[in-house]
Amino acid sequence: MDFGFSEEDDAFRGEVRAWLAAHADPGLDKRAWERALGKAGWIGLGWGEPGYGNRTATLTQQVAWAEEYARSGAPPRSGHIGENLLAPTLIAHGSDEQKGRFLPPVAAGEELWCQGYSEPGAGSDLAGIRTVAVRDGERYRISGQKIWTSLAHEADWCFVLARTEPGSRRHHGLSFLLVPMDQPGRIEVRPIRQLTGTSDFNEVFFDGAHARVTHVVGGEGQGWRVAMSLLGFERGVSTLAQQIGFAEELGRVVRVAVETGAARDPVVRECLVRQWAELRTMRWNALRTLGGSGDPGAPSVAKLLWAGWHQRLGELAVRVRGAAAAVGPVDWSPAAPYELDADQHLFLFSRADTIYGGSDQVQRTIIAERVLGLPREPKGAV
């Protein structure tokens, strides 16, 4: 596919830019902003199936939307898990009843979702999960714990990967369940407090939480297949929007390097140029992949590229600042959250980039086994 932007795409980009300029307000309540996006039809552009309250767009128009949104300064999305992860999964594997029930509220910005995958001891090794769901008539009773669950404290629903076949091991006997979060006494959400005093993630405890049998996606025991399909949707058009944010961060680092004089150091200059060149390469690789390269290892390659790149940028950000990068706010109090500046946040948060969403080690194993055809890693190997 020749991935280029047509005159129609440029016109669409102009429409997007104008709408965002007129409506985007960083101070808006998250729920109100999601509803505004839904009312205008901007949620679900990439679903490929109209009729759920969403408009549809070509692949190039989806890229234009993602890039303009990232540039606009609009509020961070709280509905992206439902829109970009759950919805494509339902379209691919869900029943007509499931699509009719869940897609319209996502498209309207009325229902927010979170993801129940990782567990203590089963983060990147997703097949090791221990959360169980026991059939009880027309419902399942779910017991177990999930961790690192973004937006769990706000979400209305959670898609949960749980073990529905007693005695099953690894990727066998798993099911993909749609679970309502409003179950007091059966679901408890505990924010994970970080050293900064903020809480970006949560632990979620299920104590006999209910999920309907009709809310199993893809059939009982097919959870691994559905879950892997969902992870493929995770690294699509949104990676290009992510790169817009990366470019802004790199631009800030370059400006600081010039202001502090660090850019006069030839080693620092080489690092800055390398970061710029690698970011351009990531963009063209993402466009090539979206254009239909057919490479089964493309999602893993993309994750390896951006995770390592972002970590190196964080290291470079504090390097060009020198000792000033280690200084906190002068008015900080132990009773208040520790406020990091942009460079400090970039450095510290990017340490997790090579872990969450599939660790580097797991991505390399996927490439080795599924793309290069190398022997599989022995089970239980350290």
Side-chain angles (χ1 to χ4, degrees):
M1 176 180 178
D2 180 16
F3 200 104
F5 295 96
S6 66
E7 292 183 3
E8 290 78 9
D9 296 333
D10 292 338
F12 179 83
R13 185 184 292 272
E15 179 188 358
V16 168
R17 189 176 297 165
W19 189 89
L20 289 170
H23 295 86
D25 179 357
L28 274 179
D29 171 79
K30 291 182 179 181
R31 292 263 182 176
W33 177 239
E34 290 296 322
R35 289 193 292 268
L37 290 170
K39 184 176 181 180
W42 294 119
I43 299 177
L45 297 180
W47 292 356
E49 292 191 14
Y52 297 108
N54 61 308
R55 65 172 85 185
T56 59
T58 65
L59 184 58
T60 46
Q61 289 169 350
Q62 294 169 49
V63 171
W65 162 260
E67 291 182 335
E68 292 304 318
Y69 191 97
R71 292 189 179 106
S72 69
R77 291 292 308 279
S78 56
H80 66 92
I81 294 177
E83 177 186 7
N84 299 320
L85 299 184
L86 175 77
T89 303
L90 286 182
I91 291 169
H93 302 284
S95 66
D96 290 340
E97 291 76 14
Q98 289 169 347
K99 289 187 281 188
R101 163 60 185 87
F102 292 108
L103 293 182
V106 171
E110 294 291 345
E111 289 185 346
L112 302 181
W113 286 77
C114 62
Q115 173 176 281
Y117 272 18
S118 296
E119 299 181 5
S124 294
D125 183 18
L126 192 58
I129 67 170
R130 292 178 291 182
T131 294
V132 298
V134 178
R135 179 78 176 262
D136 183 8
E138 295 304 307
R139 296 178 182 271
Y140 287 95
R141 290 183 288 107
I142 305 168
S143 300
Q145 178 187 357
K146 299 295 181 178
I147 198 168
W148 311 121
T149 310
S150 303
L151 302 175
H153 58 296
E154 301 176 357
D156 304 293
W157 289 81
C158 180
F159 49 87
V160 176
L161 193 61
R163 201 164 292 283
T164 52
E165 180 182 328
S168 62
R169 293 174 57 83
R170 303 299 297 167
H171 58 276
H172 301 288
L174 300 173
S175 295
F176 189 99
L177 308 172
L178 309 180
V179 183
M181 292 293 287
D182 186 14
Q183 299 190 49
R186 295 193 179 108
I187 298 179
E188 180 184 359
V189 177
R190 297 181 189 172
I192 299 174
R193 191 172 187 271
Q194 300 162 184
L195 289 175
T196 60
T198 58
S199 300
D200 295 312
F201 308 102
N202 305 275
E203 296 177 281
V204 183
F205 297 85
F206 299 92
D207 185 10
H210 290 170
R212 295 182 183 179
V213 170
T214 54
H215 290 170
V216 178
V217 179
E220 186 177 282
Q222 299 300 310
W224 184 259
R225 178 174 64 92
V226 176
M228 293 303 99
S229 176
L230 181 144
L231 292 177
F233 296 127
E234 187 174 15
R235 296 163 192 150
V237 171
S238 60
T239 61
L240 287 159
Q242 179 189 50
Q243 290 171 18
I244 298 296
F246 287 172
E248 293 176 353
E249 290 176 335
L250 175 59
R252 186 180 68 247
V253 173
V254 171
R255 289 193 297 273
V256 172
V258 172
E259 292 169 359
T260 61
R264 291 194 293 269
D265 184 333
V267 175
V268 171
R269 286 203 306 275
E270 179 184 357
C271 290
L272 292 170
V273 171
R274 182 179 294 274
Q275 291 291 128
W276 176 87
E278 289 178 353
L279 182 59
R280 297 297 296 175
T281 301
M282 283 193 289
R283 174 175 170 77
W284 290 114
N285 182 66
L287 293 174
R288 176 187 65 86
T289 301
L290 291 173
S293 69
D295 182 355
S300 294
V301 170
K303 175 62 167 59
L304 283 172
L305 286 174
W306 74 253
W309 182 91
H310 203 218
Q311 276 193 355
R312 292 191 296 276
L313 182 65
E315 294 164 359
L316 189 57
V318 296
R319 179 177 180 179
V320 300
R321 290 260 310 269
V327 178
V330 294
D331 58 347
W332 178 75
S333 166
Y338 187 96
E339 295 294 338
L340 301 171
D341 64 34
D343 293 326
Q344 292 169 335
H345 185 275
L346 170 60
F347 172 74
L348 292 175
F349 193 84
S350 64
R351 309 318 298 168
D353 286 341
T354 53
I355 301 173
Y356 70 78
S359 70
D360 277 13
Q361 292 85 346
V362 168
Q363 303 309 320
R364 291 189 178 100
T365 298
I366 290 172
I367 294 169
E369 296 179 356
R370 302 181 190 177
V371 180
L372 301 179
L374 298 177
R376 291 187 174 274
E377 183 177 341
K379 298 305 179 184
V382 177

